[in-house]
Amino acid sequence: MINLLYISISGNTRAFANHLAEYAKTQHQANAEQPLIHLEEVSDATQNEGETAPYFVMIPTYLDGGNGIDNGFHELMTTAMGDYLREPGNAAWCRGIIGSGNRNFNEQYCLTAKEYCKEFNVPFLADYELRGTDKDASRIYAILVKVAQADA
């Protein structure tokens, strides 16, 4: 089982997380050795029970000021995930982060994920735009499986 924590503001990340979980289900049905994906949505209402198993994070980018390049990084609306990761012991179980966003924002594309990777010293595994595609689901699932198997 692959554990995937995500935060969704506009619904795009939730839609892709569900798409990814469905893709994993089809892979598992074809080959029982292919892991399923367990999803958990993090929000301001999430109660931290403390992570005790490896997991991955999927996060979009929303900024409120700053361009993340030369005048700061001011995260907006996704801070609940950062707060969750900062809880004692939680970040130690994170095996990597997947970022999403809109490529129209150039250097800001996936900036929140990249900043979290630096802060929590975890790898940036992959990116996808907006709601992702079937090709993104296949590509990202393969990455998650590879990292999870290497961690086992």
Side-chain angles (χ1 to χ4, degrees), residues 87-120:
E87 288 289 329
N90 281 355
W93 290 103
C94 183
R95 298 302 185 248
I97 297 179
I98 300 159
S100 68
N102 185 325
R103 291 186 195 277
N104 289 341
F105 293 109
N106 301 316
E107 295 296 324
Q108 294 177 356
Y109 176 69
C110 296
L111 187 58
T112 301
K114 292 172 185 174
E115 290 294 321
Y116 281 9
C117 289
K118 288 180 204 170
E119 180 177 348
F120 301 110

Side-chain angles (χ1 to χ4, degrees), residues 25-145:
K25 188 189 241 183
T26 64
Q27 297 306 297
H28 182 76
Q29 288 169 342
N31 176 354
E33 291 184 19
Q34 294 297 306
L36 294 168
I37 292 179
H38 172 260
L39 299 175
E40 183 177 338
E41 186 168 359
V42 172
S43 71
D44 288 330
T46 300
Q47 297 295 315
N48 179 34
E49 296 177 12
E51 293 299 321
T52 59
Y55 66 92
F56 299 91
V57 167
M58 191 163 23
I59 189 160
T61 295
Y62 290 92
L63 300 178
D64 179 25
N67 63 13
I69 301 161
D70 55 15
N71 67 352
F73 170 76
H74 305 285
E75 183 181 2
L76 174 70
M77 298 189 283
T78 57
T79 56
M81 182 64 80
D83 293 343
Y84 188 84
L85 289 168
R86 288 181 196 101
E87 288 289 329
N90 281 355
W93 290 103
C94 183
R95 298 302 185 248
I97 297 179
I98 300 159
S100 68
N102 185 325
R103 291 186 195 277
N104 289 341
F105 293 109
N106 301 316
E107 295 296 324
Q108 294 177 356
Y109 176 69
C110 296
L111 187 58
T112 301
K114 292 172 185 174
E115 290 294 321
Y116 281 9
C117 289
K118 288 180 204 170
E119 180 177 348
F120 301 110
N121 194 29
V122 296
F124 182 84
L125 298 175
D127 65 274
Y128 66 95
E129 189 173 22
L130 301 172
R131 288 183 174 246
T133 64
D134 290 342
K135 189 174 180 178
D136 291 327
S138 172
R139 174 179 57 87
I140 291 172
Y141 179 73
I143 292 167
L144 294 175
V145 169

